[in-house]
Amino acid sequence: MILRQCLNYWLRRYGEPFQVGAQGYRGLFFQPPASMLRWLFSPEALSELPRPLWAVVVAPTVSLPDATALTWRGVSYRVLRSLEFRFDATPVYRLMLIEPVA
């Protein structure tokens, strides 16, 4: 699938490294738009979310359950929510929302 191949290329070329324990991965990090957050959370839940929130796109083979701790740019984060996006039955990528660990 071409979309999946493009994503893997972008992850190799532009993805930033992050660690989960001793395992290293690459992801495309960005600030999630408000429309995405409104789609995922109720207004009440949205007001209680910690800031800053980050979203990260990873390969579909990277499966990190909610509450998994990770380190990116020397700061600890926790997976708040993980979503898998598919085309028909083929996984294309995963999107995770991560929150800083206080």
Side-chain angles (χ1 to χ4, degrees):
M1 166 179 278
I2 290 178
L3 180 61
R4 189 171 173 174
Q5 291 172 345
C6 288
L7 177 67
N8 286 330
Y9 171 77
W10 292 332
L11 287 170
R12 282 191 312 274
R13 177 142 185 178
Y14 304 110
E16 291 186 59
F18 68 95
Q19 297 286 121
V20 177
Q23 185 69 38
Y25 300 102
R26 294 188 78 76
L28 299 170
F29 290 82
F30 61 96
Q31 291 269 279
S35 58
M36 177 194 300
L37 296 175
R38 284 192 300 270
W39 175 61
L40 293 171
F41 299 100
S42 70
E44 296 81 25
L46 191 58
S47 68
E48 296 174 5
L49 290 175
R51 301 285 194 252
L53 278 179
W54 286 92
V56 57
V57 173
V58 295
T61 56
V62 178
S63 181
L64 303 176
D66 293 353
T68 299
L70 62 96
T71 303
W72 171 55
R73 294 182 178 176
V75 180
S76 295
Y77 292 89
R78 180 178 25 248
V79 175
L80 181 63
R81 193 124 188 221
S82 181
L83 304 163
E84 182 178 67
F85 290 86
R86 297 173 171 260
F87 181 76
D88 290 330
T90 306
V92 178
Y93 66 93
R94 284 187 189 273
L95 176 96
M96 296 179 297
L97 289 174
I98 59 174
E99 62 182 343
V101 175

